[in-house]
Amino acid sequence: MRGRMRAPEIDSYVPSYIVGEPTSGYGVGVVVRSEYEGLKAGDHVYGILSHEEYCIREKLDDFLRFIKKEPGLPWSVYLGAAGMPGMTAYMAWKEFSKAKKGEVVFVTTGGGPVGSLVIQLAKLDGLKVIASAGSDEKVEFMKDVGADVAFNYKKTSTREVLKKEGPIDVYWDNVGGETLELALNAAKVGARFIECGMISGYNGDGQPVRNLELIFGKSISLHGFIVFRLEGKYLEEFYATIPPKLVSGEIKYTEEVLRGLETVGDALLSVQRGTNKAKMVVVVADE
Amino acid sequence: MRGRMRAPEIDSYVPSYIVGEPTSGYGVGVVVRSEYEGLKAGDHVYGILSHEEYCIREKLDDFLRFIKKEPGLPWSVYLGAAGMPGMTAYMAWKEFSKAKKGEVVFVTTGGGPVGSLVIQLAKLDGLKVIASAGSDEKVEFMKDVGADVAFNYKKTSTREVLKKEGPIDVYWDNVGGETLELALNAAKVGARFIECGMISGYNGDGQPVRNLELIFGKSISLHGFIVFRLEGKYLEEFYATIPPKLVSGEIKYTEEVLRGLETVGDALLSVQRGTNKAKMVVVVADE
């Protein structure tokens, strides 16, 4: 959503927001009326929805799908661990981590809906997990979901933690910039870097990476990705695997709920500032 | 060899040179006397040899091997297209390119022993090849070995060439820095970047990469590697494939030969300056 706040002429994989038109983002909606075959009032859809109380859509496609809920889960989870963030964690971990028992992974933004699932998938695969976040509350949550080493990067030096707890075999990057440089320094030979985001560079001129030449000697691969290109391969497996584990409690999640359309801006701003407690969900209407 | 000219305390995948001791590099040597089983006077060895007329080595290992020549090839080719540079091109192309007929590859330093083989492997796989080098003589050689588009980056804008002839599916990087940034700009979704070297940053403070965030939207993978980690998988296949094609002329090579140990420094300097015409070989003694 932050990336869509740009001039329309700047090319990207998602269209820019248009001034004067509603913004949009991933959401769960209830069908009020339908003339579309296979979809009836009361059904739920998941995908890119505009930030309006009601909207009209012409069809279902890859970005708006019919969705059934796992009994026992609230709909809000379908915006986090059972939604796009959960898919991001699950699908990229499966595709790129090549995780082996006993290896070490460093997960950034481990308190969020993506990072916290990565921590848990890594533990299920038998890895040692080092995880960072920007508040003590998130650090507690990361420990709660199983991180072996969890730290607040605003209080503790990432460099020192990686020196003591590394070197690392896998790096889950949500921040880029200097943290990516430190991860390159701390990487073992053959390390896999799963490049999910670079939030450190989103609000400014970007963050140069100054030691990329380490990828030669250490034979490191960096895998940039966008979750929707992995969905064809993993969507069915994801829904079969993750929601049941969320119901049983084998995989944990957390979220911070705001109410009312007028809070959408605050929700986004708190993620950019890092003042949010967990995955931000805005409830526009109760089911 | 340039990377080994550093303070010994700086860690890398090869040891630093030690002031006062002979430098070393890949070479072909003739055995004068042997007490090692399976190796006799007159045999040839290939690997890391010191820059001396004679040297004593205790054993063969991954970095010094017995080698047999393909009839019809001069020994010098075993330092280029049939040696480590050729292995670099062949093994990384096989491992990382995922080349498909009709795709477009951009090869940097295409006039050298690595790049010129990459050009030819790409043509054998049915790709369109864009290749750059730093002299008109190298441009002629790149055309001669089959590059569809060959240009002198000192005279022609890489940005403009990629704009006209791209976008690209595969990037063979020997230079890093700004050229890597331009390749990221010109990459298609799903592009593979084979990261072989970053010569632009070797003589200075390195070259920051300022648009690495493009790897998300374009789902780009960057593969850093060192050839010796691929040898276990591809060495036999390499010797079975490349030397015979060099004899038959199906694959072409070129080299620039200097004579005498005292020219080693000049040879290395001319590569760093880009004033060499082709793969630099120093002949210390005729066979």
Side-chain angles (χ1 to χ4, degrees), chain B residues 200-261:
Chain B
S200 70
Y202 294 167
N203 297 298
D205 293 331
Q207 292 259 17
V209 179
R210 295 161 296 185
N211 60 352
L212 200 60
E213 69 279 2
L214 289 174
I215 69 175
F216 304 117
K218 297 184 177 189
S219 296
I220 297 170
S221 279
L222 279 77
H223 301 282
F225 75 98
I226 291 292
V227 64
F228 66 73
R229 296 206 186 94
L230 296 171
E231 289 178 7
K233 188 168 172 184
Y234 293 107
L235 193 63
E236 212 172 315
E237 180 184 322
F238 171 80
Y239 279 127
T241 308
I242 297 301
K245 285 188 198 291
L246 291 165
V247 173
S248 73
E250 193 184 344
I251 290 183
K252 296 177 184 179
Y253 67 92
T254 182
E255 59 189 19
E256 182 178 349
V257 175
L258 299 183
R259 303 191 72 86
L261 264 181

Side-chain angles (χ1 to χ4, degrees), chain A residues 38-86:
Chain A
L39 201 64
K40 61 180 191 305
D43 284 349
H44 287 76
V45 291
Y46 170 70
I48 307 287
L49 291 172
S50 56
H51 296 134
E52 300 176 286
E53 289 188 62
Y54 299 91
C55 66
I56 296 169
R57 297 288 292 267
E58 294 192 4
K59 58 181 175 61
L60 299 181
D61 56 24
D62 279 354
F63 299 99
L64 193 69
R65 297 196 184 101
F66 171 76
I67 189 171
K68 265 181 81 168
K69 197 167 69 69
E70 188 81 13
L73 279 186
W75 276 113
S76 58
V77 182
Y78 282 81
L79 297 172
M84 182 273 282

Side-chain angles (χ1 to χ4, degrees), chain A residues 172-251:
Chain A
W172 185 281
D173 192 9
N174 270 327
V175 296
E178 199 186 331
T179 312
L180 172 54
E181 293 177 349
L182 294 171
L184 285 164
N185 284 333
K188 274 191 220 175
V189 165
R192 289 80 68 196
F193 278 41
I194 308 178
E195 294 295 326
C196 180
M198 295 187 174
I199 197 172
S200 68
Y202 293 167
N203 297 298
D205 293 332
Q207 292 258 19
V209 179
R210 294 161 297 188
N211 60 352
L212 200 60
E213 70 278 4
L214 289 173
I215 69 176
F216 304 116
K218 297 184 176 189
S219 296
I220 298 170
S221 279
L222 278 77
H223 301 281
F225 74 99
I226 292 293
V227 64
F228 66 72
R229 295 206 187 95
L230 296 171
E231 289 178 8
K233 186 167 174 185
Y234 292 107
L235 193 63
E236 212 171 314
E237 179 184 323
F238 171 80
Y239 280 126
T241 308
I242 297 301
K245 286 188 199 292
L246 291 165
V247 174
S248 72
E250 193 184 344
I251 290 181

Side-chain angles (χ1 to χ4, degrees), chain B residues 109-174:
Chain B
T109 68
V114 176
S116 62
L117 185 50
V118 173
I119 292 171
Q120 296 175 81
L121 293 170
K123 288 313 297 175
L124 289 173
D125 282 347
L127 281 76
K128 170 180 167 176
V129 177
I130 306 167
S132 68
S135 78
D136 292 345
E137 194 163 357
K138 289 171 185 162
V139 168
E140 282 312 306
F141 180 61
M142 296 193 294
K143 285 181 185 165
D144 193 41
V145 301
D148 299 284
V149 179
F151 67 101
N152 180 342
Y153 71 86
K154 292 177 182 167
K155 294 183 173 176
T156 307
S157 153
T158 301
R159 186 189 304 269
E160 294 304 316
V161 172
L162 292 177
K163 199 170 167 182
K164 184 169 169 236
E165 305 289 347
I168 61 175
D169 300 279
V170 184
Y171 174 50
W172 185 282
D173 191 8
N174 269 327

Side-chain angles (χ1 to χ4, degrees), chain A residues 112-132:
Chain A
V114 177
S116 62
L117 185 50
V118 173
I119 291 171
Q120 295 176 81
L121 293 170
K123 288 312 298 176
L124 289 172
D125 281 347
L127 281 75
K128 169 179 169 178
V129 176
I130 306 166
S132 68

Side-chain angles (χ1 to χ4, degrees), chain A residues 93-112:
Chain A
W93 184 258
K94 291 282 166 185
E95 181 75 7
F96 302 119
S97 74
K98 298 195 181 93
K100 284 186 285 288
K101 201 178 160 174
E103 288 191 329
V104 179
V105 60
F106 173 38
V107 182
T108 54
T109 68

